[in-house]
Amino acid sequence: MTTKKNIASIVCLSVALFLSNSTRAQTFVSNTDESKVPAYTLPDVLLMQNGRKLKTAAEWNKVQRPYIYQLYEENQFGTYPKIKTAIRYKILESDSHVFKGTATRKQVRIYLHPTDTSVYTDLLMYIPHSKKPVPVFVGYNFSGNQSIQSDPSVFISQAWIAPKTKGVVNNRATENSRGNDTATQWPVKEILSHGFAVATAYYGDIEPDHPEGWKTGIRTTMKDVLNIQPEQWSAMGAWAYGLSRIMDYLQKDKTIDGKKVALMGHSRLGKAALWAGASDQRFALVVSNESGEGGATLSKRWYGETVKIINEKFPHWFSASYKTYGDNTAALPIDGHMLLSLIAPRPLYVASAEGDQWSDPKGEFLSAKEAGRVYSLFGKKGIDTDKMPGLHQPVGATVRYHIRAGKHDVTLYDWQQYLKFAEAQFK
Ligand code: GTR
């Protein structure tokens, strides 16, 4: 006989099963239907561990910032090396007559290891001629320095490069990879025309971007020097660390204004740039170009790429701890707005593309807006509207945001906004 009690337990069981299935579906499946985004709660970036809301920039710097940074180390990127090693470098090549004599090209080998000369990254720079040190845009490229410009004098990367990249055969770059399809991501002439230098390196010099890459990257080669085991950090951590060593070099280069180093990263390199900007406050300005999941966007918002998907596809990008949230983003003590808040009070630009729903443009906007609360502590203005702006309508002051038409990429439009922003901020 079916009693009322039995019916009640059957109903409870079905609800529980439905809920667990729908949570699982949310993590494995990517949602791109705004009406299906369930409610979520973001951790309050101003709420301190002692339950009190912080009110001053001093409290942020002293208490909350280190706390949130540590949460990122523990839950997403792994430990950031605490030991400092000095870089050494060698100018491999320099030519002061490029772009009709208006700029210098310089290629610098930066040695990361104190003794082992096989651990290095090659920095390609284009520097506009100027009487004064110039500001610089620095960032990684996806397929070797030769890919950003069809300049026959740029050394072809010897490092492992992902397959399916134009001009790359058996994971090695060939002549055909010069100025290949990632070339638009670094519009050198445009950047120079605004008085900025360009400094870029191939991220694979630091750690090849595949699950076994750590075996030949700095997580292995620098393990003893940095006193940190490969599994204690992540590929993202290694790439961020590499950017800081590039910063070490830039601060030694007399042609560069070391106080005006703007860091820009696209996509996975945008995630690395945000972690580098959070870890090293010498980066005076940070640009996140469509960094998406694990970067600027909100993981707790079920839209686009999920924590579960990114960790399954790229198991080496983040720490093992991040994987434990794949089925339960509600338990994450952090979210994108907190990563962005670690850039405060330095100028921050977050950009999305309409055709890149995978990165969740709205999540990136909401995250940037929320980070503005920390900027307010410093008397700086973030984004003062709750309404997602239309295409090509940048909003915000010290935290700025835009969404443009087109696919997941870096375009001239993006760069024009970053240059205008950096010029105004560095005045
Ligand atoms: C995608 C990944 C994104 C983004 C992108 C990229 O496959 O899911 O998180 O990082 O790669 O870096 O191009």
Side-chain angles (χ1 to χ4, degrees):
M1 210 178 91
T2 324
T3 62
K4 266 191 188 164
K5 216 169 153 195
N6 280 346
I7 292 173
S9 52
I10 289 167
V11 169
C12 279
L13 192 69
S14 331
V15 169
L17 272 175
F18 170 77
L19 281 179
S20 73
N21 280 338
S22 67
T23 331
R24 203 170 316 138
Q26 282 175 24
T27 57
F28 273 121
V29 178
S30 145
N31 169 45
T32 47
D33 180 346
E34 191 59 42
S35 71
K36 289 203 179 113
V37 176
Y40 60 95
T41 311
L42 292 183
D44 185 340
V45 70
L46 300 181
L47 191 67
M48 297 195 289
Q49 260 181 307
N50 63 10
R52 203 168 58 75
K53 274 241 171 110
L54 72 92
K55 292 203 175 63
T56 65
E59 273 179 317
W60 169 261
N61 285 332
K62 242 176 95 194
V63 185
Q64 189 73 340
R65 191 183 191 283
Y67 169 59
I68 293 178
Y69 185 83
Q70 193 191 328
L71 287 178
Y72 268 94
E73 285 190 301
E74 287 170 2
N75 297 288
Q76 187 176 333
F77 294 108
T79 308
Y80 191 84
K82 303 291 175 289
I83 292 176
K84 288 207 171 22
T85 56
I87 54 141
R88 290 168 301 139
Y89 65 91
K90 186 159 109 193
I91 310 288
L92 300 179
E93 183 263 354
S94 174
D95 181 348
S96 57
H97 300 287
V98 298
F99 295 116
K100 299 197 177 108
T102 60
T104 294
R105 179 191 57 244
K106 192 145 78 174
Q107 300 184 70
V108 188
R109 182 155 292 177
I110 302 171
Y111 300 98
L112 279 72
H113 194 285
T115 52
D116 184 346
T117 51
S118 71
V119 186
Y120 61 78
T121 181
D122 284 343
L123 190 67
L124 168 64
M125 297 173 79
Y126 288 97
I127 308 155
H129 292 158
S130 161
K131 289 198 182 71
K132 290 193 306 186
V134 293
V136 61
F137 262 99
V138 62
Y140 284 130
N141 56 70
F142 278 89
S143 37
N145 294 345
Q146 81 290 340
S147 69
I148 73 138
Q149 192 58 22
S150 36
D151 173 346
S153 299
V154 176
F155 299 124
I156 293 187
S157 172
Q158 303 294 305
W160 181 97
I161 300 181
K164 290 194 224 142
T165 311
K166 208 171 133 206
V168 172
V169 180
N170 295 331
N171 296 111
R172 301 289 153 183
T174 67
E175 278 290 332
N176 288 339
S177 68
R178 290 195 183 281
N180 74 11
D181 53 2
T182 66
T184 55
Q185 297 189 359
W186 287 96
V188 176
K189 261 195 189 164
E190 179 78 14
I191 300 172
L192 295 182
S193 75
H194 286 259
F196 281 77
V198 173
T200 183
Y202 172 51
Y203 76 130
D205 285 351
I206 305 296
E207 175 168 327
D209 188 3
H210 60 82
E212 307 282 295
W214 62 271
K215 291 180 183 166
T216 53
I218 64 161
R219 280 195 284 156
T220 294
T221 55
M222 300 278 290
K223 162 168 85 107
D224 296 332
V225 179
L226 298 175
N227 192 23
I228 175 171
Q229 295 305 309
E231 65 280 8
Q232 283 179 280
W233 50 329
S234 58
M236 285 293 164
W239 295 325
Y241 176 87
L243 285 169
S244 277
R245 301 296 67 80
I246 291 172
M247 174 57 115
D248 293 345
Y249 168 75
L250 291 174
Q251 301 229 304
K252 292 177 196 289
D253 189 321
K254 298 273 184 290
T255 63
I256 299 297
D257 183 342
K259 295 223 166 355
K260 293 182 179 169
V261 179
L263 173 60
M264 132 68 193
H266 168 57
S267 204
R268 68 196 68 187
L269 301 181
K271 307 179 213 290
L274 287 172
W275 184 231
S279 304
D280 187 338
Q281 299 192 57
R282 293 175 299 171
F283 291 108
L285 183 154
V286 180
V287 178
S288 151
N289 192 91
E290 300 156 30
S291 64
E293 176 55 50
T297 205
L298 299 174
S299 303
K300 292 174 191 284
R301 211 181 99 86
W302 183 44
Y303 194 100
E305 191 171 25
T306 66
V307 173
K308 181 91 174 178
I309 295 171
I310 205 169
N311 281 320
E312 299 227 324
K313 229 166 121 194
F314 307 103
H316 53 298
W317 281 5
F318 302 103
S319 61
S321 50
Y322 200 45
K323 298 181 178 63
T324 64
Y325 297 103
D327 289 315
N328 189 10
T329 52
L332 257 178
I334 46 174
D335 213 338
H337 64 303
M338 291 161 88
L339 181 58
L340 297 183
S341 73
L342 293 175
I343 307 300
R346 295 163 290 160
L348 167 70
Y349 204 122
V350 175
S352 312
E354 190 190 25
D356 176 28
Q357 294 298 313
W358 192 237
S359 293
D360 184 11
K362 189 169 176 195
E364 293 189 317
F365 168 73
L366 294 170
S367 174
K369 154 96 195 154
E370 190 68 16
R373 293 174 66 212
V374 176
Y375 282 77
S376 305
L377 296 171
F378 293 87
K380 307 249 178 203
K381 266 178 67 181
I383 298 167
D384 60 5
T385 171
D386 287 328
K387 211 173 142 258
M388 172 94 180
L391 300 181
H392 312 118
Q393 287 166 30
V395 289
T398 310
V399 181
R400 208 156 164 79
Y401 174 86
H402 78 237
I403 176 164
R404 61 154 173 83
K407 65 179 176 67
H408 182 62
D409 200 355
V410 195
T411 65
L412 194 56
Y413 173 83
D414 297 316
W415 269 107
Q416 283 164 345
Q417 310 319 307
Y418 306 153
L419 287 161
K420 217 192 293 172
F421 179 62
E423 271 171 332
Q425 296 293 330
F426 284 167
K427 232 187 218 143

